[in-house]
C-alpha cells in the first residue's frame, strides 16, 4: 500500500474509478481504510447498516442477502454517479504496493478492454504448512487477454459496457454463489474482453483452518454445487467428476512423493469437486 508511486493529480470526481467492497460486517476493514486514504481512492463499502466502517471508507447501506444483490447495487451506484469503471474488491483482501498504479496504468493504455483482472494470492493468517498460492486460476504472469473463468474480487469493469448491454449479476445465485462466473460469461457473450493485470496484486488473508485438507475438500464440494447450478460448460456430469478424480489422484501422488503441501491441498479440493 505504497502511496509514493501514485500520481495525486489523478482526477477525483464523476470520471474516477469507484472501488467497491461488499461486506457482511464480519471482517475488520481497517487495512482497506488505510489503503483508501493512502492512495486517495473513493472506496465504498456496500453492506448492512450495522457494518463497522472505519474513516476513509464510504458506507452505502445495501441488502446483503447475497453477493449478487450487493454487486448489482454497486453497479447501480456507479451508473448513477457517472463512473467510468467500478472495481470490485473482496472484504478479506488487501492491496499490495503498486496495485493501484498497475490497474490505472493498464486501464489508461487499454481503454477499450472491458474487464481488468488483478491477481489474488492467498496467505494464511497464522502459521500453516500450506504456502501462499494463487486462489484464482490465473496461471500466467504475462499481461494480456485471458480466457479462463473470472472472479469478482480485484476486478475492474467498464461501467458503460455493463449499462449498454443491460448486464447484472444473477440474484438467483445469491444463496449459492457462482454469480461472478455467470456475470463475466455474459460479458464475454456480449463481446467484452478480459485482460490480466499481473502487477495489480492483492493478498487474501485466510484463517489457517480454511487451508487445511478437510477445509479444501469442503471447498471443492461447494464448488461442485455451484457448477451444477451454472450448468454447461461449467458442469458436464460424469466428465467433470472423472476429470476431477484424475486431478485429485495426480496431485495427491505428486504431493506425497514431493512432500508438497500445496499439491496435497489441490488434491483435496479436486477430491471434493469429484464427490460434491
Amino acid at each position: 500500500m505504497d502511496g509514493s508511486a501514485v500520481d495525486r493529480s489523478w482526477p477525483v470526481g464523476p470520471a474516477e474509478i469507484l472501488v467497491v467492497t461488499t461486506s457482511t460486517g464480519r471482517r475488520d476493514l481497517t487495512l482497506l481504510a488505510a489503503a483508501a486514504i493512502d492512495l486517495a481512492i473513493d472506496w465504498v463499502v456496500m453492506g448492512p447498516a450495522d457494518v463497522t466502517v472505519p474513516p476513509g471508507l464510504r458506507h452505502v447501506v445495501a441488502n446483503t442477502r447475497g453477493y449478487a444483490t450487493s454487486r448489482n447495487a454497486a453497479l447501480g451506484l456507479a451508473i448513477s454517479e457517472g463512473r467510468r469503471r467500478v472495481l470490485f474488491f473482496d472484504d478479506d483482501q488487501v492491496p499490495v504496493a503498486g496495485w493501484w498504479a498497475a490497474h490505472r496504468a493498464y486501464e489508461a493504455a487499454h481503454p477499450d478492454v472491458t474487464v481488468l483482472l488483478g491477481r489474488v494470492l492467498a496467505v494464511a493468517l497464522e502459521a500453516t504448512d500450506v504456502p501462499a498460492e494463487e486462489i484464482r486460476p490465473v496461471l500466467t504472469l504475462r499481461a494480456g487477454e485471458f480466457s479462463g473463468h473470472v472472479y469478482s474480487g480485484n476486478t475492474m469493469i467498464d461501467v458503460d459496457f455493463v449499462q449498454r448491454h443491460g448486464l447484472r449479476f444473477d440474484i438467483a445465485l445469491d444463496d449459492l454463489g457462482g454469480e461472478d462466473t455467470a456475470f463475466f460469461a455474459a460479458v464475454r457473450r456480449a463481446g467484452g474482453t478480459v485482460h490480466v493485470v499481473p502487477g495489480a496484486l492483492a493478498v487474501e488473508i485466510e484463517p489457517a483452518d480454511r487451508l487445511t485438507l478437510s477445509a479444501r475438500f469442503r471447498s471443492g464440494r461447494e464448488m461442485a454445487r455451484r457448477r451444477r447450478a451454472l450448468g454447461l460448460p461449467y458442469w458436464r456430469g460424469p466428465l467433470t467428476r472423472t476429470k476431477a478424480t484424475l486431478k485429485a489422484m495426480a496431485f495427491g501422488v505428486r504431493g506425497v512423493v514431493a512432500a508438497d503441501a500445496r499439491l496435497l491441498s489441490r488434491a483435496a479440493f479436486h477430491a471434493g469437486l469429484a464427490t460434491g
Side-chain angles (χ1 to χ4, degrees):
M1 296 177 291
D2 179 11
S4 62
V6 175
D7 175 10
R8 302 215 178 249
S9 65
W10 182 256
V12 176
E16 178 59 278
I17 296 163
L18 186 68
V19 184
V20 177
T21 293
T22 301
S23 181
T24 61
R26 292 192 295 267
R27 296 190 176 109
D28 184 357
L29 301 176
T30 304
L31 289 177
L32 287 183
I37 294 172
D38 193 33
L39 302 177
I41 300 172
D42 187 2
W43 203 309
V44 170
V45 176
M46 307 290 295
D50 58 355
V51 169
T52 300
V53 178
L57 299 174
R58 179 157 58 112
H59 183 199
V60 175
V61 176
N63 177 359
T64 56
R65 185 177 67 83
Y67 286 117
T69 299
S70 293
R71 296 195 201 287
N72 286 339
L75 290 175
L77 178 67
I79 291 170
S80 69
E81 293 185 352
R83 304 291 176 150
R84 183 178 68 253
R85 298 261 183 175
V86 59
L87 196 159
F88 285 113
F89 205 81
D90 290 349
D91 65 357
D92 56 355
Q93 295 173 353
V94 179
V96 171
W99 164 83
W100 187 229
H103 263 310
R104 284 176 40 194
Y106 199 92
E107 194 269 345
H110 304 83
D112 296 328
V113 174
T114 314
V115 177
L116 305 183
L117 182 66
R119 292 167 54 224
V120 180
L121 191 69
V123 296
L125 188 60
E126 302 124 17
T128 175
D129 291 334
V130 180
E133 182 177 5
E134 295 275 358
I135 63 169
R136 59 165 49 139
V138 177
L139 303 179
T140 176
L141 297 183
R142 279 177 24 186
E145 191 162 1
F146 177 70
S147 59
H149 296 169
V150 182
Y151 299 84
S152 52
N154 195 14
T155 304
M156 187 188 291
I157 304 166
D158 184 322
V159 173
D160 180 64
F161 184 92
V162 168
Q163 187 175 19
R164 281 189 287 111
H165 292 278
L167 300 175
R168 293 295 184 274
F169 291 87
D170 186 355
I171 61 173
L173 298 170
D174 258 342
D175 298 326
L176 184 63
E179 79 292 334
D180 47 1
T181 301
F183 175 83
F184 292 109
V187 167
R188 283 186 170 125
R189 287 195 300 271
T193 53
V194 179
H195 280 211
V196 174
V197 185
L201 176 64
V203 295
E204 183 163 308
I205 302 172
E206 299 272 17
D209 59 6
R210 287 177 58 181
L211 297 175
T212 63
L213 294 182
S214 59
R216 294 295 293 149
F217 178 80
R218 290 193 298 272
S219 178
R221 290 180 66 87
E222 291 172 2
M223 179 60 71
R225 291 177 56 232
R226 294 191 191 102
R227 288 192 179 183
R228 285 201 304 272
L230 291 169
L232 294 173
Y234 309 104
W235 185 261
R236 298 182 185 274
L239 177 61
T240 299
R241 292 186 187 277
T242 299
K243 289 177 63 177
T245 300
L246 293 175
K247 286 185 177 182
M249 293 171 62
F251 283 130
V253 170
R254 290 169 56 197
V256 169
V257 170
D260 188 321
R262 180 165 47 191
L263 292 174
L264 292 174
S265 174
R266 291 180 181 177
F269 176 83
H270 284 288
L273 182 60
T275 58

